[in-house]
Amino acid sequence: MTGLLAKMRSPLFWTILAGMASLFLFQGVPVRSGEATFPKAMDNVTVRQGESATLRCFVDNRVTRVAWLNRSSILYAGNDKWCLDPRVELIANTKTHYAIRINDVDVYDEGPYTCSVQTDNHPKTSRVHLIVQVPPKIVEISSEISINEGGNVSLTCIATGRPDPTITWRHISPKAVGFLSEDEYLEISGITREQSGEYECSASNDVATPVVRRVKVTVNYPPYISDAKNTGVPVGQKGILQCEASAVPSAEFQWYKDDKRLLEGQKGLKVENKAFFSRLTFFNVSEQDYGNYTCVAYNQLGNTNASIILYEETTAIQTPWKGPGAVHDGNNGGSRRAGCVWLLPFLLLHLLPKF
């Protein structure tokens, strides 16, 4: 407190106050780089949050007093520090420039800074604007969603940053093309099972790499049997009937022959149920096993069924047809040669009378 009172009694304090009065009472256009007048401040200074910002003011030998102000607060006057912020420090006070540095810059440091000088004639000022950029950060996003097919979905992604980040939504799917939304909100009306999966929110503002978060959307739908084929098996062989179904949640399966349900553990049968298919195995097919079977797939949203026939498959044995004059086997060549030799005398007797 004693030091502050001493500064207030100094002629420099009253000079700075006069400069501040002229600044607020006679506000003019800030001095731009390249003009013949002085002081000359830098162009706007842009830094990222957490970095250091250096503010420079270029002067000449006509200056008798100089100070840096932030709005109405004096930061430095000459070599004397007037602010209590430990992050602010003086780094240059020469005949040509006057500079301060603000360390670990935060968003509340953004705004106008004024370089005020006193000459033999009157006070002059120059202003520089400090811009603080902040990387994007997603602060709120929708939780995972489970919804029945045909329902409406609303996803939210809120992000902060300076400048304000651009938010985009896209569906992480091989069939998805481009962005679904360039807004904080993504609305899907009458959602289908093909639209289930992960949705990615991306926030970017060119200050740092984009940040992304994902939301899983599960679309529930009743079972749909996609594969159920009739099967032929010979008597005494192993036979398999298989029924495939897609559903969310996964389907449960049951097997029936006529109106009788088939259960695991029945003699000669095995029922194997997985998430997307059910398999009915006959270890030794008999005549009584042939017939029509029904596969039923169900979940809490509905059920469906398919008819599958197990029929007898017969294997026909085909024998090559051998007609007159057919060549049966290469190993009979010796017999054919013998037959030709036996016919030769008759051919000669037939031809001799003609000579």
Side-chain angles (χ1 to χ4, degrees), residues 333-354:
S335 299
R336 289 196 299 274
R337 287 193 296 271
C340 292
V341 173
W342 181 76
L343 288 173
L344 184 59
F346 292 97
L347 181 60
L348 291 174
L349 290 174
H350 180 70
L351 295 175
L352 283 175
K354 294 184 181 181

Side-chain angles (χ1 to χ4, degrees), residues 224-227 240-247 250-255 271-281 295-297:
Y224 168 76
I225 294 179
S226 55
D227 188 21
I240 296 176
L241 300 181
Q242 185 162 305
C243 177
E244 297 181 6
S246 61
S250 299
E252 300 287 339
F253 293 91
Q254 292 179 353
W255 286 93
V271 179
E272 184 181 6
N273 291 330
K274 300 294 184 180
F276 300 104
F277 72 89
S278 180
R279 185 180 292 139
L280 180 63
T281 302
C295 168
V296 178

Side-chain angles (χ1 to χ4, degrees), residues 28 31 40 51 72 95 119 124 126 128 137 140 143-144 173 179 196 219 254 311 315 318 324 335 342:
V31 176
K40 298 177 185 176
E51 295 180 345
S72 60
K95 293 181 179 180
T119 66
K124 294 178 181 286
S126 180
V128 60
K137 179 180 180 181
E140 180 183 342
S143 302
E144 292 186 0
S173 167
F179 295 110
S196 65
V219 180
Q254 292 179 353
Y311 60 89
T315 303
Q318 296 182 351
S335 299
W342 181 76

Side-chain angles (χ1 to χ4, degrees), residues 166-182:
T166 299
I167 297 177
T168 56
W169 280 99
R170 69 187 184 101
H171 185 198
I172 308 299
S173 167
K175 298 180 180 179
V177 179
F179 295 110
L180 296 176
S181 172
E182 295 187 3

Side-chain angles (χ1 to χ4, degrees), residues 45-51 53 105-111 113 129-135 161-163 207:
V45 176
T46 301
V47 296
R48 294 183 183 180
Q49 185 182 38
E51 295 180 345
V105 170
D106 210 336
V107 291
Y108 53 77
D109 295 315
E110 184 170 288
Y113 289 77
H129 198 90
L130 177 61
I131 300 171
V132 179
Q133 294 183 330
V134 181
R162 297 168 74 100
V207 176

Side-chain angles (χ1 to χ4, degrees), residues 90-289:
L90 181 68
I91 59 173
N93 184 9
T94 69
K95 293 181 179 180
T96 58
H97 73 284
Y98 184 58
I100 61 172
R101 180 166 56 215
I102 306 173
N103 298 307
D104 193 20
V105 170
D106 210 336
V107 291
Y108 53 77
D109 295 315
E110 184 170 288
Y113 289 77
T114 303
C115 176
S116 178
V117 301
Q118 178 69 36
T119 66
D120 294 336
N121 298 325
H122 52 78
K124 294 178 181 286
T125 63
S126 180
R127 178 178 293 188
V128 60
H129 198 90
L130 177 61
I131 300 171
V132 179
Q133 294 183 330
V134 181
K137 179 180 180 181
I138 296 176
V139 296
E140 180 183 342
I141 192 167
S142 299
S143 302
E144 292 186 0
I145 294 176
S146 179
I147 189 170
N148 293 344
E149 189 172 35
N152 298 328
V153 173
S154 178
L155 301 180
T156 302
C157 181
I158 307 297
T160 60
R162 297 168 74 100
D164 291 336
T166 299
I167 297 177
T168 56
W169 280 99
R170 69 187 184 101
H171 185 198
I172 308 299
S173 167
K175 298 180 180 179
V177 179
F179 295 110
L180 296 176
S181 172
E182 295 187 3
D183 192 5
E184 296 175 343
Y185 306 100
L186 174 62
E187 305 287 344
I188 305 175
S189 300
I191 194 168
T192 65
R193 64 192 69 178
E194 291 79 14
Q195 293 174 302
S196 65
E198 289 190 324
Y199 287 79
E200 182 182 87
C201 169
S202 174
S204 61
N205 64 359
D206 296 329
V207 176
T209 56
V211 291
V212 295
R213 295 270 300 275
R214 292 184 177 183
V215 177
K216 184 179 180 180
V217 176
T218 301
V219 180
N220 305 310
Y221 57 93
Y224 168 76
I225 294 179
S226 55
D227 188 21
K229 296 179 181 178
N230 298 333
T231 303
V233 181
V235 172
Q237 299 296 313
K238 182 180 180 179
I240 296 176
L241 300 181
Q242 185 162 305
C243 177
E244 297 181 6
S246 61
V248 177
S250 299
E252 300 287 339
F253 293 91
Q254 292 179 353
W255 286 93
Y256 292 85
K257 185 179 183 185
D258 300 326
D259 293 331
K260 182 180 179 182
R261 182 180 174 185
L262 305 177
L263 301 173
E264 174 70 27
Q266 287 184 239
K267 185 177 180 181
L269 286 178
K270 180 182 179 181
V271 179
E272 184 181 6
N273 291 330
K274 300 294 184 180
F276 300 104
F277 72 89
S278 180
R279 185 180 292 139
L280 180 63
T281 302
F282 303 83
F283 294 104
N284 186 5
V285 173
S286 65
E287 291 285 351
Q288 291 75 23
D289 293 326

